[in-house]
Amino acid sequence: MRAFIFPGQGSQAVGMGKALADASSVARAVFQEVDDALGQHLSHLMFDGPPDDLQLTANAQPAIMANAIATLRVLEKEGGIRLADKADYVAGHSLGEYTALCAAGAFDLATTALLLRHRGEAMQAAVPVGQGGMAALLGCDLATAQKIADAAAQGEVCTIANDNDPSQVVISGAKAAIDRAIEIAKDHGAKRAISLPVSAPFHCPMMQPAADAMDKALADARIDSPLVPVFANVTAQPVSDVDTIRKLLVEQVTGMVRWRESVLNMADTGVERFVEFGGKVLAPMVKRIAPDVEAVSVISMDDIEALAKSL
Protein backbone atom coordinates (compact mmCIF):
# COMPACT_ATOMS: atom_id res chain seq x y z
CA MET A 1 0.00 0.00 0.00
CA ARG A 2 1.12 3.55 -0.77
CA ALA A 3 0.40 7.06 0.45
CA PHE A 4 1.12 10.17 -1.62
CA ILE A 5 2.04 13.03 0.71
CA PHE A 6 2.44 16.79 0.24
CA PRO A 7 4.60 19.31 2.17
CA GLY A 8 3.60 22.44 4.03
CA GLN A 9 4.97 25.92 4.57
CA GLY A 10 8.71 26.19 4.99
CA SER A 11 9.46 24.06 1.92
CA GLN A 12 9.38 27.09 -0.42
CA ALA A 13 12.61 28.31 -2.07
CA VAL A 14 13.40 30.56 -5.01
CA GLY A 15 13.88 28.38 -8.08
CA MET A 16 11.20 25.89 -7.05
CA GLY A 17 9.54 24.30 -10.07
CA LYS A 18 11.77 26.02 -12.64
CA ALA A 19 13.65 22.92 -13.84
CA LEU A 20 10.35 21.05 -14.03
CA ALA A 21 8.76 23.84 -16.07
CA ASP A 22 11.77 23.97 -18.40
CA ALA A 23 11.51 20.21 -18.99
CA SER A 24 7.75 19.63 -19.19
CA SER A 25 4.81 21.33 -20.87
CA VAL A 26 2.58 19.54 -18.35
CA ALA A 27 4.29 21.38 -15.48
CA ARG A 28 4.15 24.69 -17.38
CA ALA A 29 0.40 24.24 -17.83
CA VAL A 30 -0.07 23.78 -14.07
CA PHE A 31 1.89 26.94 -13.26
CA GLN A 32 -0.01 28.90 -15.92
CA GLU A 33 -3.37 27.74 -14.56
CA VAL A 34 -2.40 28.87 -11.06
CA ASP A 35 -1.13 32.21 -12.39
CA ASP A 36 -4.41 32.72 -14.23
CA ALA A 37 -6.52 31.80 -11.20
CA LEU A 38 -4.67 34.23 -8.95
CA GLY A 39 -4.28 36.99 -11.56
CA GLN A 40 -0.59 37.07 -10.63
CA HIS A 41 2.68 35.80 -12.12
CA LEU A 42 3.26 33.58 -9.11
CA SER A 43 5.42 31.29 -11.23
CA HIS A 44 7.85 34.18 -11.90
CA LEU A 45 8.10 34.70 -8.15
CA MET A 46 8.72 30.98 -7.62
CA PHE A 47 11.39 30.78 -10.29
CA ASP A 48 13.21 34.08 -9.80
CA GLY A 49 12.17 35.62 -6.45
CA PRO A 50 12.68 37.93 -4.70
CA PRO A 51 12.85 35.63 -1.66
CA ASP A 52 11.11 38.06 0.69
CA ASP A 53 8.02 38.12 -1.53
CA LEU A 54 7.96 34.34 -1.90
CA GLN A 55 8.17 33.95 1.89
CA LEU A 56 4.93 35.92 2.36
CA THR A 57 2.32 33.45 3.57
CA ALA A 58 -0.20 34.45 0.90
CA ASN A 59 2.37 33.62 -1.82
CA ALA A 60 4.15 30.68 -0.21
CA GLN A 61 0.98 28.62 0.32
CA PRO A 62 -0.25 28.53 -3.31
CA ALA A 63 3.37 28.28 -4.56
CA ILE A 64 4.12 25.14 -2.55
CA MET A 65 0.84 23.62 -3.72
CA ALA A 66 1.50 24.47 -7.38
CA ASN A 67 4.97 22.95 -7.28
CA ALA A 68 3.72 19.69 -5.75
CA ILE A 69 0.75 19.38 -8.11
CA ALA A 70 2.99 20.08 -11.12
CA THR A 71 5.27 17.24 -9.99
CA LEU A 72 2.33 14.88 -9.60
CA ARG A 73 0.75 15.88 -12.93
CA VAL A 74 3.99 15.21 -14.79
CA LEU A 75 4.04 11.73 -13.25
CA GLU A 76 0.41 11.15 -14.16
CA LYS A 77 0.40 12.51 -17.72
CA GLU A 78 3.90 11.70 -18.91
CA GLY A 79 4.17 8.48 -16.93
CA GLY A 80 0.67 7.29 -17.81
CA ILE A 81 -0.21 6.76 -14.16
CA ARG A 82 -3.50 7.38 -12.32
CA LEU A 83 -3.32 8.39 -8.68
CA ALA A 84 -6.38 6.28 -7.88
CA ASP A 85 -4.56 3.19 -9.17
CA LYS A 86 -1.27 3.79 -7.38
CA ALA A 87 -2.15 5.50 -4.07
CA ASP A 88 -4.31 4.12 -1.28
CA TYR A 89 -4.31 7.38 0.68
CA VAL A 90 -3.20 10.99 0.34
CA ALA A 91 -2.16 13.33 3.13
CA GLY A 92 -0.53 16.72 3.51
CA HIS A 93 1.07 18.79 6.24
CA SER A 94 -1.03 21.89 7.04
CA LEU A 95 -1.52 23.66 3.68
CA GLY A 96 -0.40 20.36 2.13
CA GLU A 97 -3.80 18.94 3.07
CA TYR A 98 -5.29 21.23 0.42
CA THR A 99 -2.70 19.94 -2.06
CA ALA A 100 -3.64 16.38 -1.14
CA LEU A 101 -7.31 17.14 -1.73
CA CYS A 102 -6.47 18.69 -5.10
CA ALA A 103 -4.35 15.66 -5.99
CA ALA A 104 -7.28 13.38 -5.14
CA GLY A 105 -9.74 15.42 -7.22
CA ALA A 106 -11.73 16.92 -4.34
CA PHE A 107 -10.73 20.46 -5.38
CA ASP A 108 -9.87 21.62 -8.89
CA LEU A 109 -6.54 23.41 -9.27
CA ALA A 110 -7.91 26.94 -9.58
CA THR A 111 -10.11 26.51 -6.51
CA THR A 112 -7.16 25.19 -4.51
CA ALA A 113 -4.98 28.15 -5.50
CA LEU A 114 -7.68 30.67 -4.57
CA LEU A 115 -8.45 28.97 -1.25
CA LEU A 116 -4.78 28.93 -0.29
CA ARG A 117 -4.35 32.58 -1.25
CA HIS A 118 -7.35 33.42 0.93
CA ARG A 119 -6.06 31.18 3.73
CA GLY A 120 -2.64 32.83 3.66
CA GLU A 121 -4.10 36.33 3.73
CA ALA A 122 -6.54 35.43 6.52
CA MET A 123 -3.82 33.83 8.65
CA GLN A 124 -1.56 36.84 8.18
CA ALA A 125 -4.36 39.25 9.11
CA ALA A 126 -5.56 37.29 12.15
CA VAL A 127 -2.78 38.47 14.49
CA PRO A 128 -0.83 41.74 14.24
CA VAL A 129 2.81 41.21 13.30
CA GLY A 130 4.98 40.82 16.39
CA GLN A 131 2.21 39.66 18.73
CA GLY A 132 2.56 35.95 18.00
CA GLY A 133 5.32 33.46 17.49
CA MET A 134 6.24 29.82 16.96
CA ALA A 135 9.14 27.67 18.12
CA ALA A 136 10.43 24.20 17.29
CA LEU A 137 11.23 22.01 20.28
CA LEU A 138 13.90 19.51 19.21
CA GLY A 139 14.71 16.26 20.96
CA CYS A 140 11.28 16.50 22.48
CA ASP A 141 8.20 14.27 22.37
CA LEU A 142 4.58 15.40 22.55
CA ALA A 143 4.17 14.90 26.30
CA THR A 144 7.33 16.89 27.09
CA ALA A 145 6.31 19.65 24.68
CA GLN A 146 2.91 19.89 26.36
CA LYS A 147 4.56 20.36 29.77
CA ILE A 148 6.76 23.14 28.34
CA ALA A 149 3.78 24.87 26.72
CA ASP A 150 1.71 24.64 29.91
CA ALA A 151 4.54 26.03 32.03
CA ALA A 152 5.22 28.90 29.63
CA ALA A 153 1.62 29.98 29.04
CA GLN A 154 1.06 31.96 32.26
CA GLY A 155 -2.43 32.92 31.12
CA GLU A 156 -1.44 33.51 27.48
CA VAL A 157 -1.88 31.24 24.48
CA CYS A 158 0.87 28.64 24.16
CA THR A 159 -0.19 25.40 22.51
CA ILE A 160 1.09 22.53 20.37
CA ALA A 161 0.85 23.47 16.70
CA ASN A 162 2.58 20.53 14.97
CA ASP A 163 3.32 17.08 16.33
CA ASN A 164 5.80 16.40 13.54
CA ASP A 165 7.78 13.33 14.60
CA PRO A 166 9.09 11.69 17.81
CA SER A 167 11.86 14.29 18.15
CA GLN A 168 10.25 17.49 16.87
CA VAL A 169 7.21 19.35 18.13
CA VAL A 170 6.27 22.93 17.19
CA ILE A 171 4.50 25.27 19.61
CA SER A 172 2.55 28.40 18.75
CA GLY A 173 0.99 31.32 20.59
CA ALA A 174 1.58 34.74 22.11
CA LYS A 175 5.13 35.97 21.53
CA ALA A 176 5.93 36.44 25.21
CA ALA A 177 4.74 32.92 26.02
CA ILE A 178 6.77 31.43 23.18
CA ASP A 179 9.84 33.34 24.39
CA ARG A 180 9.31 31.90 27.88
CA ALA A 181 8.97 28.40 26.40
CA ILE A 182 12.28 28.78 24.59
CA GLU A 183 13.95 29.85 27.85
CA ILE A 184 12.66 26.91 29.91
CA ALA A 185 12.68 24.19 27.23
CA LYS A 186 16.04 22.64 28.16
CA ASP A 187 15.13 22.54 31.84
CA HIS A 188 12.05 20.51 30.91
CA GLY A 189 13.92 17.97 28.77
CA ALA A 190 14.13 19.41 25.25
CA LYS A 191 17.54 19.35 23.57
CA ARG A 192 17.02 22.65 21.80
CA ALA A 193 14.32 25.26 21.24
CA ILE A 194 14.44 27.40 18.10
CA SER A 195 12.30 30.42 17.32
CA LEU A 196 10.80 30.00 13.83
CA PRO A 197 10.91 32.82 11.27
CA VAL A 198 7.14 32.97 10.73
CA SER A 199 4.88 35.96 10.33
CA ALA A 200 2.02 34.66 12.50
CA PRO A 201 1.28 32.00 15.17
CA PHE A 202 -0.26 29.26 13.02
CA HIS A 203 -2.40 26.38 14.32
CA CYS A 204 -3.34 27.92 17.65
CA PRO A 205 -6.49 29.61 19.05
CA MET A 206 -5.17 33.05 18.04
CA MET A 207 -5.98 32.01 14.46
CA GLN A 208 -9.75 31.96 15.11
CA PRO A 209 -10.42 34.99 12.83
CA ALA A 210 -8.71 33.07 10.01
CA ALA A 211 -10.79 29.97 10.78
CA ASP A 212 -13.95 32.09 10.53
CA ALA A 213 -12.77 33.46 7.17
CA MET A 214 -12.06 29.94 5.87
CA ASP A 215 -15.44 28.74 7.10
CA LYS A 216 -17.06 31.28 4.76
CA ALA A 217 -14.69 30.58 1.87
CA LEU A 218 -15.10 26.80 2.10
CA ALA A 219 -18.89 27.10 2.35
CA ASP A 220 -18.88 28.51 -1.18
CA ALA A 221 -16.20 26.16 -2.59
CA ARG A 222 -17.04 23.10 -4.63
CA ILE A 223 -15.70 19.92 -3.05
CA ASP A 224 -16.08 16.56 -4.76
CA SER A 225 -15.55 13.17 -3.16
CA PRO A 226 -11.81 12.39 -3.25
CA LEU A 227 -10.60 9.51 -5.42
CA VAL A 228 -8.91 8.02 -2.35
CA PRO A 229 -9.34 8.84 1.36
CA VAL A 230 -7.44 11.81 2.79
CA PHE A 231 -5.81 11.56 6.21
CA ALA A 232 -6.94 14.72 8.00
CA ASN A 233 -4.46 16.76 10.06
CA VAL A 234 -6.76 17.36 13.02
CA THR A 235 -8.03 13.78 13.46
CA ALA A 236 -5.14 11.72 12.02
CA GLN A 237 -7.87 9.58 10.43
CA PRO A 238 -8.98 8.98 6.83
CA VAL A 239 -11.91 10.99 5.52
CA SER A 240 -13.88 10.88 2.27
CA ASP A 241 -17.17 12.59 3.20
CA VAL A 242 -17.36 16.05 1.64
CA ASP A 243 -19.11 17.77 4.56
CA THR A 244 -16.58 16.31 7.00
CA ILE A 245 -13.67 17.45 4.81
CA ARG A 246 -15.07 20.98 4.82
CA LYS A 247 -15.52 21.00 8.61
CA LEU A 248 -12.05 19.61 9.31
CA LEU A 249 -10.35 22.16 7.06
CA VAL A 250 -11.90 24.92 9.17
CA GLU A 251 -10.80 23.22 12.39
CA GLN A 252 -7.31 22.77 10.95
CA VAL A 253 -6.63 26.54 11.04
CA THR A 254 -6.59 26.61 14.85
CA GLY A 255 -6.01 22.91 15.50
CA MET A 256 -2.89 20.80 15.93
CA VAL A 257 -1.33 19.13 12.90
CA ARG A 258 -1.18 15.52 14.05
CA TRP A 259 1.41 14.42 11.50
CA ARG A 260 3.18 11.80 13.63
CA GLU A 261 -0.12 10.09 14.44
CA SER A 262 -1.24 10.31 10.81
CA VAL A 263 1.88 8.49 9.60
CA LEU A 264 1.60 5.86 12.32
CA ASN A 265 -2.07 5.30 11.50
CA MET A 266 -1.35 4.99 7.78
CA ALA A 267 1.42 2.50 8.54
CA ASP A 268 -0.96 0.57 10.81
CA THR A 269 -3.46 0.27 7.95
CA GLY A 270 -0.74 -1.32 5.80
CA VAL A 271 0.97 1.60 4.04
CA GLU A 272 4.56 0.53 3.35
CA ARG A 273 5.60 3.26 0.93
CA PHE A 274 5.25 7.03 1.32
CA VAL A 275 5.90 9.27 -1.69
CA GLU A 276 6.41 12.99 -1.07
CA PHE A 277 5.78 15.31 -4.02
CA GLY A 278 7.47 18.68 -4.44
CA GLY A 279 9.64 18.74 -1.34
CA LYS A 280 12.11 16.90 0.84
CA VAL A 281 10.61 17.65 4.23
CA LEU A 282 8.05 14.98 5.01
CA ALA A 283 9.90 11.87 3.83
CA PRO A 284 12.66 12.29 6.46
CA MET A 285 9.96 12.82 9.12
CA VAL A 286 8.21 9.65 7.99
CA LYS A 287 11.41 7.64 8.44
CA ARG A 288 11.84 8.97 11.97
CA ILE A 289 8.23 8.07 12.77
CA ALA A 290 8.10 4.64 11.11
CA PRO A 291 11.65 3.43 10.38
CA ASP A 292 10.49 0.23 8.67
CA VAL A 293 8.55 1.92 5.86
CA GLU A 294 9.97 3.27 2.60
CA ALA A 295 9.81 7.05 2.12
CA VAL A 296 10.96 8.89 -1.00
CA SER A 297 10.94 12.54 -2.09
CA VAL A 298 10.06 13.35 -5.71
CA ILE A 299 11.24 16.75 -6.95
CA SER A 300 13.11 16.47 -10.27
CA MET A 301 12.35 14.89 -13.64
CA ASP A 302 14.85 12.15 -12.77
CA ASP A 303 12.93 11.49 -9.54
CA ILE A 304 9.65 11.32 -11.47
CA GLU A 305 11.08 8.90 -14.04
CA ALA A 306 12.52 6.67 -11.33
CA LEU A 307 9.20 6.66 -9.47
CA ALA A 308 7.23 5.85 -12.62
CA LYS A 309 9.41 2.78 -13.20
CA SER A 310 8.92 1.58 -9.63
CA LEU A 311 5.13 1.94 -9.46
Side-chain angles (χ1 to χ4, degrees):
M1 292 178 70
R2 298 184 196 89
F4 286 3
I5 58 177
F6 302 90
Q9 201 160 335
S11 58
Q12 70 274 7
V14 172
M16 62 192 296
K18 188 173 189 309
L20 209 60
D22 289 344
S24 170
S25 62
V26 173
R28 289 195 295 275
V30 170
F31 296 133
Q32 186 62 57
E33 188 173 345
V34 171
D35 285 356
D36 291 346
L38 297 177
Q40 173 197 10
H41 290 303
L42 182 66
S43 57
H44 292 184
L45 189 58
M46 294 166 63
F47 301 163
D48 302 317
D52 287 351
D53 288 350
L54 181 59
Q55 296 286 6
L56 293 172
T57 300
N59 290 327
Q61 293 200 24
I64 291 163
M65 180 279 297
N67 186 51
I69 291 296
T71 310
L72 175 66
R73 291 272 173 89
V74 173
L75 173 73
E76 290 180 318
K77 295 192 177 179
E78 296 189 7
I81 284 164
R82 292 180 68 246
L83 177 142
D85 295 334
K86 300 298 182 181
D88 298 280
Y89 300 105
V90 292
H93 190 285
S94 190
L95 81 90
E97 190 166 331
Y98 285 78
T99 316
L101 287 160
C102 179
F107 291 132
D108 63 42
L109 181 58
T111 297
T112 313
L114 288 166
L115 283 170
L116 286 174
R117 166 57 52 80
H118 189 63
R119 183 177 183 266
E121 291 174 343
M123 291 172 109
Q124 187 61 66
V127 179
V129 173
Q131 291 191 13
M134 298 180 76
L137 305 179
L138 306 180
C140 182
D141 62 14
L142 183 63
T144 303
Q146 189 63 61
K147 289 177 185 174
I148 293 168
D150 290 346
Q154 296 182 18
E156 295 184 294
V157 174
C158 188
T159 60
I160 308 293
N162 306 336
D163 179 16
N164 283 337
D165 66 40
S167 63
Q168 185 194 110
V169 178
V170 174
I171 57 173
S172 181
K175 187 177 185 308
I178 297 300
D179 289 344
R180 287 192 292 270
I182 292 170
E183 286 180 18
I184 66 172
K186 278 192 175 181
D187 295 338
H188 283 71
K191 286 185 180 175
R192 289 178 70 198
I194 303 170
S195 177
L196 297 179
V198 295
S199 53
F202 305 134
H203 298 291
C204 82
M206 295 171 75
M207 285 285 111
Q208 189 58 48
D212 294 342
M214 290 312 296
D215 191 12
K216 292 176 184 174
L218 286 159
D220 295 331
R222 174 173 172 168
I223 308 178
D224 294 320
S225 296
L227 297 170
V228 297
V230 181
F231 262 78
N233 284 181
V234 295
T235 62
Q237 296 294 332
V239 58
S240 295
D241 175 73
V242 168
D243 290 336
T244 306
I245 288 170
R246 201 185 308 269
K247 179 175 78 76
L248 294 178
L249 286 176
V250 175
E251 292 179 12
Q252 188 223 55
V253 179
T254 56
M256 177 171 67
V257 175
R258 295 166 66 177
W259 186 251
R260 179 184 58 85
E261 287 179 76
S262 296
V263 171
L264 287 174
N265 289 344
M266 281 186 271
D268 284 346
T269 66
V271 174
E272 296 177 329
R273 192 177 196 201
F274 291 78
V275 183
E276 177 183 10
F277 288 88
K280 199 171 186 178
V281 179
L282 299 181
M285 282 186 199
V286 167
K287 289 298 289 181
R288 290 192 290 271
I289 297 164
D292 293 337
V293 305
E294 181 187 356
V296 297
S297 297
V298 180
I299 299 168
S300 67
M301 286 298 292
D302 287 346
D303 295 337
I304 293 168
E305 289 167 10
L307 178 63
K309 289 175 184 173
S310 72
L311 290 175

